[in-house]
Amino acid sequence: MFNNKSILITGGTGSFGKKYVKTLLEQYSPKKIIIYSRDELKQYEMEQIFNEPCMRYFIGDVRDKERLTRAMRGVDFVIHAAALKHVPAAEYNPMECVKTNINGAENVIDAALDNNVEKVIALSTDKAANPINLYGATKLASDKIFVAANNISGGHRTTFSVVRYGNVVGSRGSVVPFFQKLIDNGSDHLPITHTDMTRFWITLQQGVDFVLKNFARMYGGEIFVPKIPSIKITDLATAMAPNLTQKIVGIRPGEKLHEVMCPAEICYTTYEFNDHFVIAPAIKFSSRSNDFTVNALDEKGKLVPEGFEYDSLNNDEFLSIKQIQSLNITAFL
Ligand SMILES: NC(=O)c1ccc[n+]([C@@H]2O[C@H](COP(=O)([O-])OP(=O)(O)OC[C@H]3O[C@@H](n4cnc5c(N)ncnc54)[C@H](OP(=O)(O)O)[C@@H]3O)[C@@H](O)[C@H]2O)c1
């Protein structure tokens, strides 16, 4: 699907972008991979690792529509990964988060339409489902803008979908590197915000593979959610440091006890497939199919039961302490 194609990744120097590029180069022979982000140092460092002739490094901000439009010339597929995603920083600098995550989404859509890009996938997060912090709220707004963009693309071939998943194991600022640093520094305990807290568990490679697959599955308008296991935070702490005590420090502002990916309130538009869910658009498209029960790979889904919610507490699959230990967690850091 990506052979001899041009692919642009906004936020391509981030954790997702680098893994995505690595996977693309291993599995396909793209014509061009364009990395679009702001910081020249991150691009310089990435260029030391990925310097294949198909690689292009563009300095640019998703807030800058003109630059984005130029960067997307001749592009077939776009992955929109650029975001401000630090929850407390978003609360403190709300308009910066709005400008990047919401205005940036609009610019990506406009640039894709103007260049007749074939398919765009935007990355979302579980924090966008029933959001309680500004980061989540901006990502929900972004999701809605991408879904609705399928209605304004009349006359163009461009289709837009969203991929939503939970905390990536080992990603910057997440709990695994936080615990690991305390363990390495000889701490006598691990801080736990709440004994009942649960989280979804996905590796970067699983996230990348899911996005790749959804380019083939999508019609446009879907929010794709992978079926992934949950963990209890206390089990994670025990798995990483069985001999350390756990001290309860209290839940932090903007943090949920459990994360949601498919809220119960939208069960009427949520479809279950073999290894994922699809949240169908809340609006009807005027010029394309509104049937999301079968995807472009001919996989069939069924409407979830009334009241069904896909959240990290009521998940069918939980990793046990032994299973977490068998994963060699530090390899994800
Ligand atoms: N990490 C997770 O646990 C997780 C979970 C679920 C969903 N997600 C979503 O996945 C996506 C990628 O996350 P990640 O972990 O790869 O993030 P990351 O490592 O923080 O990378 C973010 C990337 O975005 C770029 N960026 C930030 N602001 C930009 C702007 N205004 N214009 C252009 N580029 C900009 C950054 O480069 P510069 O600073 O150089 O511009 C960097 O390349 C995000 O949309 C995030 O919401 C992440």
Side-chain angles (χ1 to χ4, degrees), residues 118-328:
E118 188 179 336
K119 293 181 179 184
V120 178
I121 286 189
L123 296 190
S124 180
T125 157
D126 48 10
K127 293 182 174 55
N130 296 347
I132 58 159
N133 52 54
L134 186 78
Y135 166 56
T138 60
K139 292 296 273 190
L140 176 62
S142 166
D143 294 356
K144 298 272 183 199
I145 294 168
F146 273 102
V147 168
N150 291 283
N151 246 356
I152 53 168
S153 61
H156 303 263
R157 64 170 179 165
T158 317
T159 52
F160 302 89
S161 293
V162 171
V163 165
R164 175 183 289 174
Y165 53 71
N167 272 3
V168 173
V169 183
S171 69
R172 283 187 303 164
S174 68
V175 63
V176 169
F178 174 63
F179 281 171
Q180 192 58 47
K181 195 167 174 202
L182 290 171
I183 295 164
D184 292 345
N185 289 344
S187 174
D188 62 355
H189 74 278
L190 289 182
I192 303 287
T193 48
H194 194 290
T195 45
D196 295 336
M197 183 172 276
T198 62
R199 284 293 179 265
F200 285 109
W201 180 272
I202 186 169
T203 66
L204 204 44
Q205 188 66 57
Q206 285 171 321
V208 163
D209 294 342
F210 188 62
V211 171
L212 279 169
K213 187 86 192 230
N214 289 325
F215 270 107
R217 283 181 170 136
M218 67 184 270
Y219 283 124
E222 306 91 339
I223 298 178
F224 291 101
V225 174
K227 286 187 187 171
I228 49 178
S230 290
I231 51 146
K232 278 193 75 179
I233 294 297
T234 48
D235 287 349
L236 175 67
T238 307
M240 290 181 71
N243 300 322
L244 287 191
T245 54
Q246 299 174 7
K247 278 195 192 149
I248 307 302
V249 294
I251 201 157
R252 291 169 301 185
E255 200 174 46
K256 286 180 181 173
L257 198 48
H258 312 290
E259 294 285 6
V260 177
M261 289 225 260
C262 306
E265 293 78 3
I266 52 169
C267 63
Y268 308 106
T269 51
T270 303
Y271 296 89
E272 180 169 10
F273 289 73
N274 184 33
D275 64 353
H276 68 283
F277 296 94
V278 163
I279 302 173
I283 49 166
K284 290 271 172 268
F285 294 147
S286 47
S287 58
R288 58 184 67 190
S289 168
N290 286 285
D291 179 7
F292 291 94
T293 56
V294 182
N295 63 28
L297 291 181
D298 211 27
E299 297 166 331
K300 292 177 181 52
K302 59 175 194 312
L303 199 63
V304 298
E306 184 150 359
F308 173 84
E309 177 163 278
Y310 186 47
D311 60 53
S312 61
L313 174 65
N314 296 301
N315 196 350
D316 288 342
E317 194 191 351
F318 265 81
L319 295 184
S320 67
I321 295 171
K322 267 204 174 125
Q323 283 171 315
I324 300 171
Q325 277 169 334
S326 72
L327 289 174
N328 184 19

Side-chain angles (χ1 to χ4, degrees), residues 11-17 36-39 42 60-63 81-85 100 123-125 135 139 165-168 171-172:
T13 55
S15 337
F16 176 90
Y36 186 94
S37 62
R38 298 166 305 170
D39 175 27
K42 276 189 234 133
D61 196 315
V62 291
R63 300 180 189 184
L84 289 185
K85 63 184 186 61
T100 295
L123 296 190
S124 180
T125 157
Y135 166 56
K139 292 296 273 190
Y165 53 71
N167 272 3
V168 173
S171 69
R172 283 187 303 164

